[in-house]
Amino acid sequence: MANRSMSRLTQWCSRIFMVEINQKTEPIYFSLSSTPVSAGNKDLEAVLGNGKLFAVYALGDARVPRARSHTHLKRALTQDLPPGCDLLNTASFLPDVKNSLVNGFFLRDNSVLSSSERIVTQLRQKASVCVFTYTREQNGVYLCSDVTDDRSYYVTTAPAPLRHPSTLNIINSDVFYQMKDAYKVLQECIDVIPESKAVLELVEEQQLEPNSSQDESFPIIVIEGLDATGKTTLTFSLQKALGAVLLKSPPQCLADFRPRFDTEPPLIRRAFYALGNYITAAQIARESSYAPVIVDRYWHSTAAYAIATAVSGREENLPAVGSEIYEWPCDLLRPSLVLLLSVSPEERLRRLSHRGLDKTEEESQLEINHLFRRKVDEAYRRIQNPACIVVDANPSPDHVLKQVLGLIRNKNNLQFPGL
């Protein structure tokens, strides 16, 4: 056991560590070194301080158990957090190496009684959890150690990476680009989430055929936007004006499963919603053979919310414009036109206050976290092939409908009977 712990700690010396004090400031980056380092670094002192500090990571080779372990770990730490203790998000990664990010938590104990010791002792007994201890020497130098190993390493600052490390694990962990990749995640969940089997059966019943080209007889128009931007009103109006079929993503057949999967970690939750898009795509393919199709949300929503959630901090941390992360899935049916409804934050809050409807956790975040809202909005605008056309949805519903009908008329190759 000691040899395995020593090997683990030694391997982590090749990694960079990130700690987020809050969402508005830049993370602190550091690494581990076997050679002495200079003391007195203000960035490290801001994070490590003078109290006891523990870094806790969920480990494991299998991605589904590891993801669920991380979620359970957060719940346990949050519930048992004693007064005088702070819980910060941390991550370990290999610079520019995809899928190398390991998320964890910093438990910073500034209490007089060092009351976090009991929690950490319990965590160390779990094979799926790795716990490192950080201490400050008298000369001001910080050391990182694992109590199962006598070896310690010096903590030294590291430069910030060119790309935010959160982007390393987005592909096929937060955003899926082929149906088979999302399908495989839920296959791995069947033993622990029985509902996964039922969802996969629904996918198979749709007789989905990969289709990345637009060869339907009638146009497909997707309406995107945050809640309270007028999507529901506009989609019903368009359905009537165009004689269209109205579909939604996620589809109604998954409604009973959403509460269950919304409690799962991002890997599982995103795979579930990705499969919802493919079920919707199969419905679109069938319906567009007979009539125009209006879709209330589609892949843009799935990707925009996932990216904004996965990438911590400010909107500047989002993947750069043109990144492969913003590309449309290669096997998902493409719409003819995607319209993104946009309203001012003040108008959106006014509309929400009159609704009183249940909201997802992410939609609740939009109301209280302007930073998250800006990231979602910016992610929407960066998705390509097809990109969104932004529509000012602040005016009255009739005015918005006229705007949209005008855009449809001016769109090449879109033919609607009577329009």
Side-chain angles (χ1 to χ4, degrees), residues 104 182 196 217 234 276 289 386:
S196 299
S217 300
L234 178 61
S289 297

Side-chain angles (χ1 to χ4, degrees), residues 194-222:
E195 293 87 347
S196 299
K197 184 177 181 180
V199 172
L200 294 178
E201 289 174 350
L202 285 172
V203 173
E204 293 165 359
E205 288 173 4
Q206 295 296 319
Q207 297 181 347
L208 305 180
E209 296 181 3
N211 184 358
S212 60
S213 63
Q214 181 192 333
D215 57 4
E216 67 282 348
S217 300
F218 289 90
I220 301 164
I221 298 179
V222 174

Side-chain angles (χ1 to χ4, degrees), residues 18 125 162 194 286 297 335 338:
M18 173 186 73
Q125 297 172 358
L162 295 178
R286 289 193 294 269
R297 286 187 167 173
V338 182

Side-chain angles (χ1 to χ4, degrees), residues 39-339:
N41 186 283
K42 292 183 179 180
D43 287 341
L44 290 179
E45 291 175 358
V47 175
L48 304 180
N50 295 315
K52 292 190 174 182
L53 182 72
F54 307 95
V56 186
Y57 300 91
L59 301 179
D61 296 329
R63 58 180 177 172
V64 166
R66 184 172 66 248
R68 300 189 87 227
S69 178
H70 175 81
T71 298
H72 295 157
L73 184 60
K74 182 177 181 179
R75 289 173 183 165
L77 290 172
T78 303
Q79 292 172 357
D80 297 337
L81 197 66
C85 295
D86 300 322
L87 194 64
L88 306 176
N89 289 321
T90 183
S92 166
F93 61 96
L94 297 171
D96 297 323
V97 177
K98 292 181 179 179
N99 298 317
S100 67
L101 190 75
V102 178
N103 289 307
F105 305 97
F106 262 21
L107 181 58
R108 187 167 57 183
D109 189 347
N110 294 312
S111 64
V112 177
L113 300 176
S114 296
S115 48
S116 62
E117 288 282 5
R118 175 183 57 82
I119 299 174
V120 173
T121 300
Q122 293 175 346
L123 290 174
R124 284 194 176 112
Q125 297 172 358
K126 298 182 178 181
S128 61
V129 176
C130 171
V131 180
F132 294 147
T133 302
Y134 291 82
T135 55
R136 188 176 188 272
E137 302 294 285
Q138 290 184 345
N139 61 0
V141 172
Y142 289 96
L143 290 176
C144 174
S145 61
D146 187 332
V147 294
T148 60
D149 179 13
D150 293 333
R151 182 172 296 184
S152 297
Y153 290 91
Y154 297 99
V155 180
T156 180
T157 54
L162 295 178
R163 296 183 298 175
H164 195 273
S166 298
T167 63
L168 295 173
N169 284 30
I170 287 180
I171 295 178
N172 290 335
S173 289
D174 295 283
V175 183
F176 293 86
Y177 299 86
Q178 292 189 65
M179 186 181 75
K180 64 181 180 65
D181 294 320
Y183 191 98
K184 187 176 180 181
V185 172
L186 259 64
Q187 277 186 316
E188 297 172 13
C189 293
I190 289 177
D191 290 339
V192 292
I193 308 174
E195 293 87 347
S196 299
K197 184 177 181 180
V199 172
L200 294 178
E201 289 174 350
L202 285 172
V203 173
E204 293 165 359
E205 288 173 4
Q206 295 296 319
Q207 297 181 347
L208 305 180
E209 296 181 3
N211 184 358
S212 60
S213 63
Q214 181 192 333
D215 57 4
E216 67 282 348
S217 300
F218 289 90
I220 301 164
I221 298 179
V222 174
I223 307 300
E224 293 282 5
L226 307 180
D227 269 8
T229 53
K231 292 191 310 303
T232 300
T233 301
L234 178 61
T235 53
F236 279 117
S237 298
L238 282 176
Q239 179 189 23
K240 183 178 180 180
L242 302 176
V245 174
L246 177 58
L247 298 175
K248 293 185 177 183
S249 186
Q252 184 60 33
C253 64
L254 294 184
D256 292 342
F257 301 105
R258 291 182 66 180
R260 178 67 179 86
F261 283 92
D262 280 344
T263 63
E264 292 297 327
L267 171 69
I268 301 169
R269 187 168 71 249
R270 303 306 182 190
F272 167 77
Y273 282 107
L275 291 176
N277 282 325
Y278 285 96
I279 293 175
T280 299
Q283 296 172 348
I284 293 171
R286 289 193 294 269
E287 297 295 343
S288 62
S289 297
Y290 307 100
V293 176
I294 307 299
V295 189
D296 185 344
R297 286 187 167 173
Y298 194 31
W299 190 79
H300 285 74
S301 287
T302 306
Y305 277 89
I307 294 168
T309 303
V311 178
S312 57
R314 304 176 301 171
E315 59 188 295
E316 289 83 0
N317 294 337
L318 290 172
V321 174
S323 167
E324 61 181 333
I325 289 172
Y326 299 119
E327 286 296 321
W328 189 266
C330 63
D331 61 349
L332 184 64
L333 188 146
R334 298 173 192 265
S336 313
L337 183 66
V338 182
L339 302 176

